[in-house]
Amino acid sequence: MTWCCLNGEIMPIEQAAISPMDRGFLFGDGVYEVMVQIDGHIRANSLHEARLQSSLDAIGLSVSVADVFADVVRLTKKTGLLNAKIYVQVTRGASPVRDHGFPSQISPTVFLTITEFEAITKKPVKAIVCPDIRWRCNSIKSVSLLGNVLLLQEARESGAQEAILYRDDLVTEASTSNVFLIRGQSLTTPPLSDLILPGITRHLVIEMAPTVGLDVVEEAIRVDSLPGADGLFVSSSTRGLMPIVELDPGGLVGNGQLTEAFVALQAAYDERLHYHE
Ligand code: PDD
C-alpha cells in the first residue's frame, strides 16, 4: 500500500482527494521538494528544509516548514520504510473562483508521498543537448514543470536519459538535475543563479570534491565545450551522480570512458549517503 499525508492526515493514497479548484492543478501555483531517506535518515534534511522555505518565500506562501517536516517524520514512521523517496508538495490551495490573482481567503494544500528507494550506483548514459525552453525563475522549486517534462520526454524519445540545457550558448542545468564537467583534476559547474535549481546534491558534491583531489570551479560552461571534457555528470537526489558519456548532438564525451576522478567522487558520494552525522 502507498501511504500519503494530505493536510496533516495520513491515509492510503487511494483515499486522498484534492479539489479540482486547487491552484496547484489550475495554475501550477505551488512548490515542492524531493528528498531521499537512507538507512532511516533523510539525507541533508536541513538543506531541504531551507530550500523549501526559500521556495515558499519566493512565491509568497506562508506555511510552517517545521510542521511540514514533522508530517514527513510521521509519514516515514507509519510506512516503516528505511530507504525511501519522499515528495512534499505545497500549493496555494483551492478557492471557489478561478482567478489568476491570489485569493484573500485560502488555505494551502500540503501533500506528501513516500515510496521505496534504492540508491544504486548509476551506469554511464547518453544525454541530449537542447535549448533551455523553461521560464527564468528556476531557482524556485516550482511545481510548474511543463518545460522540464517536455525536455525529459524528448530525451527519452531519443533513447537518452537526460536533457542538458543551455541558454545563450551557456549550460544551465539538466531537465531534472545539475551539471558538472571534469577536466583533469578540475570540476566545473555553472554558478548559482535564477536560471538553475540550487541542487542539494550539487551542494554535497561541491563539499566532497576536494576530499578526492578535485578543485571546484563555479563558472559558466560553454555548451560547445561539453564533448571535449574528460568527463561529464549530472546530480540529483534521486539520480545520485549519473555519468554522461555520450551527447546528442556532440558524440562521445572525452574518450567515452569514466574518468578515475569521477569513479572516486561517485564512491565518496555513495559512502556519504550512509554516513549519518
Ligand atoms: N529533481 N535541477 C532540476 C531542474 C531538478 O529538478 C533537480 C531535482 C535538480 C537537483 O536537485 P537535488 O540535488 O536537490 O535533487 C536540479 C528532483 C529529484 C525531482 O524533481 O524529482
Side-chain angles (χ1 to χ4, degrees):
M1 179 178 306
T2 303
W3 292 91
C4 71
C5 180
L6 180 59
N7 297 324
E9 205 182 318
I10 294 179
M11 61 186 84
I13 195 125
E14 296 77 20
Q15 285 173 23
I18 294 172
S19 165
M21 295 305 287
D22 195 283
R23 293 175 61 91
F25 175 63
L26 294 180
F27 300 113
D29 183 0
V31 294
Y32 76 107
E33 272 301 315
V34 180
M35 303 168 280
V36 288
Q37 173 175 277
I38 308 287
D39 312 327
H41 298 266
I42 293 176
R43 186 210 62 165
N45 190 74
S46 57
L47 297 179
H48 283 285
E49 285 183 348
R51 188 171 64 183
L52 179 60
Q53 185 67 62
S54 124
S55 295
L56 289 167
D57 292 346
I59 69 161
L61 193 50
S62 173
V63 171
S64 159
V65 168
D67 288 354
V68 172
F69 276 75
D71 285 347
V72 168
V73 172
R74 287 198 299 120
L75 182 62
T76 54
K77 287 210 170 115
K78 171 79 187 176
T79 63
L81 286 175
L82 287 180
N83 297 319
K85 174 172 155 180
I86 299 159
Y87 177 85
V88 172
Q89 168 157 342
V90 185
T91 75
R92 206 173 303 279
S95 99
V97 178
R98 184 185 187 279
D99 174 34
H100 283 57
F102 301 171
S104 48
Q105 295 289 319
I106 190 161
S107 31
T109 304
V110 180
F111 177 59
L112 319 178
T113 57
I114 179 165
T115 48
E116 200 156 6
F117 175 74
E118 201 189 344
I120 43 164
T121 301
K122 298 295 182 297
K123 299 273 178 301
V125 295
K126 173 178 157 188
I128 58 168
V129 181
C130 42
D132 194 340
I133 57 170
R134 306 170 304 157
W135 73 332
R136 295 190 71 94
C137 304
N138 298 296
S139 57
I140 304 171
K141 202 160 169 58
S142 156
V143 297
S144 308
L145 287 169
L146 186 56
N148 307 60
V149 165
L150 295 178
L151 289 159
L152 184 64
Q153 185 60 23
E154 193 181 330
R156 291 205 172 138
E157 284 172 11
S158 311
Q161 302 267 333
E162 240 312 7
I164 294 183
L165 313 176
Y166 62 91
R167 256 181 221 269
D168 303 326
D169 296 328
L170 301 179
V171 174
T172 52
E173 56 179 342
S175 72
T176 63
S177 51
N178 293 111
V179 175
F180 286 87
L181 183 143
I182 301 175
R183 281 191 211 101
Q185 289 307 112
S186 157
L187 181 65
T188 308
T189 194
L192 292 182
S193 75
D194 285 350
L195 300 181
I196 70 168
L197 186 77
I200 306 298
T201 320
R202 175 188 182 279
H203 177 98
L204 299 177
V205 167
I206 290 174
E207 226 172 48
M208 278 173 355
T211 67
V212 297
L214 282 166
D215 298 322
V216 180
V217 188
E218 292 181 67
E219 69 179 26
I221 298 175
R222 285 191 57 85
V223 67
D224 55 12
S225 72
L226 293 177
D230 296 329
L232 185 66
F233 68 93
V234 295
S235 70
S236 87
S237 301
T238 49
R239 290 181 189 265
L241 273 50
M242 192 173 80
I244 310 286
V245 290
E246 190 183 345
L247 296 170
D248 177 13
L252 291 186
V253 176
N255 62 8
Q257 304 294 317
L258 297 187
T259 62
E260 265 177 41
F262 174 76
V263 173
L265 190 63
Q266 198 177 41
Y269 179 75
D270 290 347
E271 204 175 299
R272 167 71 178 74
L273 279 180
H274 297 281
Y275 169 75
H276 311 294
E277 64 275 43

